[in-house]
Every structure is written in C-alpha cells, then in structure tokens.
Amino acid sequence: MKLDSYWTDSAPAFAPAVHALPAQVDVAVVGGGFTGLSAALALAKRGARVAVLEAGARVAAEASGRNGGHVNNGLAVDYADVAARVGIDKARAWYRAYDDAVDTVARLVRDEAIDCDFMRHGKLKLATRAHQMAALERSAERLLADGVDTDVEILDAAQVRSEVQSERFHGGLLYRRSGQMHMGRFAQGLAAAAQRHGAQIHTGTMVSRIERLGQGHAHRLHTAGGILTAQQVLLATGATRHGGYGSFGWLRRRIVPIGSFIVVTEPLGAERAQALLAARRTYTTVANIHHYFRLTPDHRLVFGGRARFSVSSPQADAASGEILRTGLAETFPQLGAVRLDYCWGGLVDMTQDRLPHAGERDGLYYAMGYSGHGTQMSIHMGERMAAVMDGDAGANPWQGRDWPAIPGHFGPPWFLPAVGLYYSLKDKLA
Ligand SMILES: Cc1cc2nc3c(=O)[nH]c(=O)nc-3n(C[C@H](O)[C@H](O)[C@H](O)COP(=O)(O)OP(=O)(O)OC[C@H]3O[C@@H](n4cnc5c(N)ncnc54)[C@H](O)[C@@H]3O)c2cc1C
C-alpha cells in the first residue's frame, strides 16, 4: 500500500518553466494550491505580472491534491442553522456561492480544456440511522421552501439501495448540482493554464516573512529563493504545515489544521464498480465523524473520513487507514477482502463556523478556511479574489464577515483529541 495520494500519483506532475525569482511583480500569490493557482490564472488574464510562491516541491500537493475528489454544492453546515443565525438572504447567498463555485470549476474545465473526468452526477447524503431521515427531510423542505435549491430530493431506503450496494442506509438527500473530478489531473491543467497565460510558478519557494512597505498593499517577501517586492499579496496558504502551522501572525489563531484521511482500493473492475455505486455520485454520511466515498475513473473506491482527530503524519495516516478499513468493511462487507492500494491524510483548514473567510487585512489579501468543503470554493475564490484585487470589492461572496481569534488557539492544535472525543460521544448518543 502506498502512503501517498492516488490523485497526485496517477496524474502527470506539472513542471513549471524555470525562471529566476523576479525582484518585482504586481502580485505575489503565496501558496500553489487551488486558491493560489486559480487566482494566478485569473490575475494573469487581467494582465498582471504574477508570481506563485509555493513551498512544496510540487503544486497542489497539500489539501488540493489530497482530498476526496468531491466537487459538491451546498454549505458544509446545515442551511437552516445558518439562516437562523444570519438571516435567510445571507444564508441563501452563501449557499448559492457554492452553486457558483461548482459552475466555475465546470467553466474552467471547459475553457482551458482540462482532461480531468469532471462530471456532475450529484451528491447523496446518506442516513446511517433511521432518525437522521427526519433531519434530512427537514433540510430538503427548507431548501425548497426558501427557494434556495430546487434540485434536491429525498430518496427512501429502497431508492438508495437500488443505487448503493449496502444495507446500511435508511435513505438520503440528493443534491443534483454536485460534481466530481480527478484532482491531480485538474491541478496539472490549472497550473499549465496559469503558466500559459503568463503567471510564473516557483516551487520550493517557502515564504518565511512578509514586510509591509508603507500603508498600502505593497510588501517585501522573504523566500527560500530570495527577496521579492509585490504591489499586492494574496495569502492562499490553506492549513499550512510550513513555518509551524500558520506562518502569518493573525491567521494562526483563526485556522485549525485538522487531519482527514483516505484509503483507495485496488481497481474493482467496471462491472463490480457499477454494481457497487450505480449512479457514480459522490456520497457522504450524516455524522460529526462521517465517511465520504466515490469511484475513480479506473473503478477504485475512494473512502475517506475524519478517522482520528489529529494532524496528518505518516504514523497518523497509517493508523487512520486501519480505522477506515473497518469503516469500509462495515459499509460494504462484500469488499472486506479487497486490497487497499493507497492511504494518505491531509490537513483541513477548519474555521470555528465551518465557513470560508476572504478579504483584506493589514494590506494583505487572503482566502481560506474552507473547512473540508473547498475544492470548488478554493477555485472560485481564486478568481473572485483576482477581481477584488483588481478593484471589485463586491466580487467577494464572503466579504464583511467577522473573524475573531479562537480562544486558547495559538498554533499547533493541542485540543484536537478532546474535540474528537466530544464529537464521537455526540455521534454515539445521537
Ligand atoms: C483529506 C482531505 C479531504 C478533502 N476532501 C474534500 C472533498 O472531497 N471535497 C471538497 O470540497 N473539499 C475537500 N477537502 C478540502 C479541499 O481539498 C481544500 O479546501 C482545498 O483544496 C484548499 O485549497 P487551497 O489552495 O486553499 O489550500 P492548499 O491546497 O492546502 O494549498 C495551500 C498551499 O500553500 C502552500 N504554502 C503554505 N504556506 C506557505 C508558505 N509559507 N510559503 C509558500 N507556500 C506555502 C502549501 O504548501 C500548499 O501547497 C479535503 C481536504 C483534505 C485534507
């Protein structure tokens, strides 16, 4: 079994054109994940001189290359809870920002001719306990009643069983606008498009310090490859593990890096895969510590979850792989003896309210905090932040949100085991 991401292992690595680090650029983008690459593409298309500064040896090798491969619509939290907190208009706008984000991915795939098996077969949220169906039904009713999403539908247990070969589920909520794609191939295509449009991409270039020059947006960046000055800077660093979990001061107290883990089976063969998940959607279960799964183009099952509350490391990934093996066998007993070919973990950039944050502070632009639901939003926000940096403040769907520091959180998330215990107890008692 490879302790590596299936997506990066099964895609050609993007090879950036070799450039010396420029002394000056219009925009420096810190981080070459989906947020940073999408911003670089959009900024370059607007005529800016852009440099992406990526600490790793390869672009999109952190969360953007280590995720579950879902490109889902809908909020990461319950729409009705958000509406109760911030009002229907704002909740509806935020929900629709995810529809726009999936559309942005579809448009980029088409316009840049990215070969990544993007398809929109929907997402099915599955109830593992009978009483969860009432909550799913309430969600569907509310989304329909508020005119937020007219493409949702409740499926009963028999309907679910007709497309998911498992006895475990009591029904589900179908979100038809959701999609999926091969994350490694998409990343390769996105980076190539950004470069084709003129952005420079510098890998192995960790930014260790950012100095503000005056009161505007200009900064001097100290990097592993030298110093460069930028008229504007976008922080697209996700749940960075570089520089000790959040190199840049105030973000460290607002983003909690939490590990999420994935295993991938050997190829099951077209027939067996078709019988397993006939509609080839993305699937998640209802729980605080939930599972998510889908098939790959070569008919493997990708099965993930927050197996343990810890950050990702080779030991944590392998231990989590064993927990996921059990979860997979409980869900699909017929796959109990199947070989697992891949196992990996990655860091989710969790925020306290599980919604993204983007904007400008102290002259620095930022977009992050997608909270495990960010393949679509990171790509969308890269584009949106390019517009914001070009003078269109209204392009940011997340503008104007307060972002207080998390009490007691100063860097490495020491409290994760306690949080994990709390959520697993909540799931057991639910
Ligand atoms: C295991 C897992 C499963 C997930 N599954 C899904 C899913 O199925 N669907 C979904 O919607 N979302 C999912 N997500 C979340 C999604 O992958 C992320 O929200 C999204 O990829 C974030 O992109 P990003 O560019 O903001 O961050 P990243 O991809 O993390 O990119 C940030 C980049 O910044 C670089 N960087 C950081 N600090 C510095 C520095 N100081 N100098 C230079 N470079 C730096 C990092 O090396 C990294 O490459 C998952 C995440 C994980 C970890």
Side-chain angles (χ1 to χ4, degrees):
M1 183 166 67
K2 289 187 182 178
L3 290 180
D4 194 5
S5 160
Y6 164 79
W7 306 119
T8 49
D9 190 56
S10 60
F14 166 73
V18 180
H19 298 282
L21 194 73
Q24 289 205 338
V25 289
D26 297 324
V27 185
V29 176
V30 187
F34 287 161
T35 305
L37 293 173
S38 158
L41 171 60
L43 287 159
K45 280 184 174 172
R46 287 168 181 264
R49 281 176 309 144
V50 188
V52 176
L53 310 170
E54 166 54 47
R58 181 174 175 161
V59 294
E62 295 293 329
S64 299
R66 305 178 75 78
N67 54 62
H70 300 203
V71 187
N72 292 332
N73 76 317
L75 297 162
V77 279
D78 186 50
Y79 161 76
D81 289 348
V82 179
R85 198 157 44 78
V86 302
I88 290 180
D89 288 347
K90 218 174 233 182
R92 185 193 285 125
W94 289 349
Y95 187 99
R96 291 203 176 142
Y98 283 90
D99 291 343
D100 294 345
V102 182
D103 290 344
T104 295
V105 179
R107 174 173 41 77
L108 278 173
V109 167
R110 189 190 60 231
D111 290 357
E112 302 300 336
I114 302 175
D115 172 18
C116 61
D117 288 299
F118 177 82
M119 48 190 167
R120 236 166 158 166
H121 288 186
K123 168 183 104 169
L124 192 50
K125 194 167 181 181
L126 295 160
T128 51
R129 298 182 189 192
H131 71 87
Q132 292 168 347
M133 279 310 289
L136 290 180
E137 277 158 10
R138 272 197 307 277
S139 290
E141 274 163 28
R142 187 66 197 270
L143 289 169
L144 291 165
D146 287 359
V148 174
D149 190 340
T150 48
D151 281 329
V152 291
E153 185 188 339
I154 288 289
L155 303 191
D156 64 22
Q159 286 171 303
V160 167
R161 219 157 288 143
S162 73
E163 60 166 277
V164 179
Q165 197 181 42
S166 171
E167 297 299 315
R168 215 166 164 218
F169 304 116
H170 296 264
L173 173 53
L174 174 62
Y175 296 74
R176 283 210 180 73
R177 294 179 195 163
S178 292
Q180 56 187 287
M181 64 183 172
H182 188 300
M183 293 292 159
R185 300 217 312 259
F186 176 79
Q188 208 278 341
L190 183 64
Q195 184 164 275
R196 205 166 49 243
H197 286 274
Q200 283 192 14
I201 297 175
H202 298 266
T203 49
T205 308
M206 174 171 158
V207 177
S208 52
R209 191 153 69 87
I210 303 181
E211 258 178 277
R212 192 173 188 181
L213 303 174
Q215 294 305 304
H217 294 108
H219 286 81
R220 185 177 297 129
L221 292 94
H222 297 255
T223 83
I227 293 175
L228 107 169
T229 302
Q231 294 313 308
Q232 292 179 315
V233 178
L234 174 67
L235 296 180
T237 46
T240 178
R241 58 176 103 211
H242 304 291
Y245 299 112
S247 331
F248 306 107
W250 56 275
L251 291 173
R252 188 176 305 151
R253 299 206 49 206
R254 288 161 173 81
I255 297 278
V256 181
I258 295 188
S260 189
F261 304 90
I262 294 177
V263 291
V264 173
T265 66
E266 62 182 308
L268 302 173
E271 222 172 278
R272 205 165 166 204
Q274 187 61 25
L276 193 71
L277 297 172
R280 292 189 101 99
R281 307 188 198 279
T282 59
Y283 304 87
T284 62
T285 61
V286 179
N288 288 302
I289 303 181
H290 67 295
H291 288 135
Y292 47 90
F293 48 94
R294 58 161 282 193
L295 293 169
T296 62
D298 60 347
H299 312 299
R300 300 167 185 270
L301 179 69
V302 180
F303 192 89
R306 191 152 301 121
R308 302 166 81 234
F309 269 69
S310 66
V311 294
S312 167
S313 67
Q315 296 83 343
D317 293 2
S320 299
E322 285 311 311
I323 297 172
L324 288 175
R325 187 193 290 276
T326 307
L328 192 159
E330 281 167 7
T331 309
F332 301 109
Q334 67 274 40
L335 298 187
V338 150
R339 193 182 71 230
L340 297 182
D341 281 352
Y342 294 88
C343 167
W344 73 89
L347 289 178
V348 164
D349 52 348
M350 198 65 85
T351 60
Q352 210 166 8
D353 61 4
R354 296 203 62 199
L355 293 170
H357 284 269
E360 187 243 296
R361 180 165 157 169
D362 300 336
L364 288 172
Y365 294 93
Y366 60 89
M368 58 190 68
Y370 309 111
S371 301
H373 184 43
T375 57
Q376 63 311 76
M377 191 52 73
S378 56
I379 295 160
H380 187 57
M381 285 311 296
E383 275 197 359
R384 291 304 179 104
M385 289 312 289
V388 170
M389 295 165 86
D390 201 14
D392 179 7
N396 176 7
W398 305 104
Q399 66 181 321
R401 292 192 346 96
D402 283 347
W403 200 8
I406 298 170
H409 176 39
F410 297 99
W414 54 270
F415 44 80
L416 286 187
V419 174
L421 193 62
Y422 168 75
Y423 281 121
S424 44
L425 274 175
K426 244 180 123 174
D427 283 343
K428 280 195 184 103
L429 297 174

